């Protein structure tokens, strides 16, 4: 069976493709850092030739699942993001259906069904709805924030040298565990619905970020501020936690940190 991963050039696509290959399936990769609109219809159609499963990782929220790549917690040009994401998803869905693809797999974010339609969550909600209404067989995996995203979240939330985040509970997960589960879903029967994945531990968002910064000898203070947005949205304290039926990965934050290369110390 041929599986094609469409991604934005990030590590998630590479790792997912490797896990699909480990399942014994043929895998192709199409990287579009500028979005699917940067590819011609012919390029997309050629990539989907004889393809049975598409894994849609294009236009992923960055630097963390559930966020836009913006500064100081602002949503940026939300309408432009929404239009770009929906255009990309629509193009891929139409091309996949025309090419006879049998299974559309998409990565989304835990909390999409609970957070009000703001920021990246609005785009994710619209993308999920488009996939659900497309008439194709599909699987949607919602992930909590990635371990790898902590510093990116901190950078986005930094103002005047201070990281300011809302009082949220998170249950972060490693990118490798998400990629592994995505690959498993892709080579299995379509869910026709949504699954969630999370790590094994809960943290306050402030502590999650504080641990990451301390590990890299980053001295920025991290403060909790009730009115701070979370990348253009204002989730309630538990909105980003997984539901009772979520798949809980086994890699702990401590284990993941221990496996990272030691940070370089400038002289």
């Amino acid at each position: 069976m041929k599986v094609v991963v469409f991604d934005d050039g990030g590590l998630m696509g590479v790792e997912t493709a490797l896990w699909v290959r480990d399942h014994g399936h043929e895998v192709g990769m199409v990287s579009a850092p500028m979005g699917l609109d940067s590819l011609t219809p012919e390029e997309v159609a050629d990539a989907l030739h004889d393809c049975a499963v598409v894994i849609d990782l294009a236009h992923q929220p960055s630097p963390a699942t559930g966020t836009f790549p913006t500064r100081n917690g602002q949503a940026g040009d939300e309408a432009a993001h929404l239009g770009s994401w929906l255009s990309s998803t629509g193009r891929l869905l139409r091309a996949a259906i025309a090419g006879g693809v049998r299974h559309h797999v998409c990565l989304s974010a835990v909390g999409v069904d609970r957070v009000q339609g703001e920021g990246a969550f609005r785009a994710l909600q619209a993308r999920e709805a488009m996939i659900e209404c497309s008439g194709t067989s599909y699987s949607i995996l919602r992930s909590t924030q990635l371990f790898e995203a902590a510093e990116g979240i901190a950078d986005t939330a930094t103002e005047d040298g201070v990281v300011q985040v809302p009082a949220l509970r998170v249950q972060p997960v490693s990118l490798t565990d998400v990629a592994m589960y995505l690959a498993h879903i892709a080579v299995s029967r379509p869910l026709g619905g949504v699954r969630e994945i999370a790590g094994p531990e809960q943290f306050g968002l402030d502590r999650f970020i504080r641990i990451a910064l301390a590990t890299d000898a980053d001295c920025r203070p991290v403060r909790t501020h009730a009115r701070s947005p979370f990348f253009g949205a204002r989730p309630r304290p538990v909105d980003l936690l997984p539901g009772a039926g979520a798949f809980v990965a086994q890699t702990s934050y401590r284990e993941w940190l221990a496996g990272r290369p030691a940070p370089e110390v400038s002289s």
Side-chain angles (χ1 to χ4, degrees):
M1 180 172 70
K2 181 179 177 182
V3 179
V4 176
V5 179
F6 283 81
D7 78 346
D8 57 7
L11 186 58
M12 181 69 76
V14 175
E15 289 230 20
T16 302
L18 290 173
W19 285 110
V20 169
R21 188 169 294 148
D22 280 354
H23 280 280
H25 297 280
E26 179 185 355
V27 63
M29 280 201 65
V30 179
S31 290
M34 303 304 294
L36 246 62
D37 287 340
S38 64
L39 303 176
T40 67
E42 292 75 20
E43 288 174 322
V44 176
D46 287 347
L48 293 174
H49 181 67
D50 288 336
C51 173
V53 182
V54 160
I55 302 178
D56 181 7
L57 301 177
H59 270 287
Q60 281 305 302
S62 175
T65 301
T67 67
F68 275 143
T70 58
R71 297 185 60 189
N72 298 331
Q74 301 303 311
D77 190 346
E78 190 173 315
H81 280 296
L82 177 61
S84 179
W85 282 24
L86 294 187
S87 174
S88 176
T89 299
R91 281 195 64 197
L92 185 54
L93 280 168
R94 290 190 295 273
I97 291 171
V101 174
R102 301 191 299 271
H103 187 187
H104 189 100
V105 181
C106 181
L107 181 62
S108 189
V110 166
V112 162
D113 54 334
R114 296 186 291 274
V115 179
Q116 292 183 358
E118 301 174 302
F121 293 94
R122 180 182 173 213
L124 289 167
Q125 289 162 2
R127 183 168 65 177
E128 286 191 13
M130 179 178 284
I131 293 169
E132 291 167 354
C133 296
S134 67
T136 191
S137 297
Y138 70 93
S139 300
I140 295 172
L141 179 63
R142 293 176 183 161
S143 171
T144 56
Q145 280 63 43
L146 304 177
F147 293 156
E148 290 82 352
E151 292 177 29
I153 296 173
D155 292 342
T156 308
T158 297
E159 187 170 0
D160 296 329
V162 177
V163 182
Q164 297 194 68
V165 295
L168 298 174
R169 301 292 297 174
V170 294
Q171 196 167 325
V173 64
S174 80
L175 182 148
T176 295
D177 285 336
V178 174
M180 188 187 311
Y181 198 42
L182 266 173
H184 170 74
I185 288 173
V187 301
S188 303
R189 182 174 299 184
L191 299 172
V194 176
R195 289 271 173 86
E196 293 183 335
I197 183 171
E201 305 160 300
Q202 282 190 26
F203 301 90
L205 180 60
D206 56 345
R207 181 166 177 257
F208 172 51
I209 294 173
R210 200 172 285 121
I211 292 171
L213 296 184
T215 303
D216 285 345
D218 187 327
C219 296
R220 279 179 290 175
V222 181
R223 297 175 183 166
T224 299
H225 192 286
R227 296 180 62 84
S228 293
F230 186 66
F231 300 93
R234 296 187 184 277
R236 295 169 298 182
V238 297
D239 276 348
L240 302 186
L241 293 178
F247 176 79
V248 178
Q250 296 303 303
T251 306
S252 70
Y253 197 26
R254 183 189 296 267
E255 290 168 338
W256 180 81
L257 287 168
R260 296 176 64 200
E264 295 183 3
V265 180
S266 57
S267 57

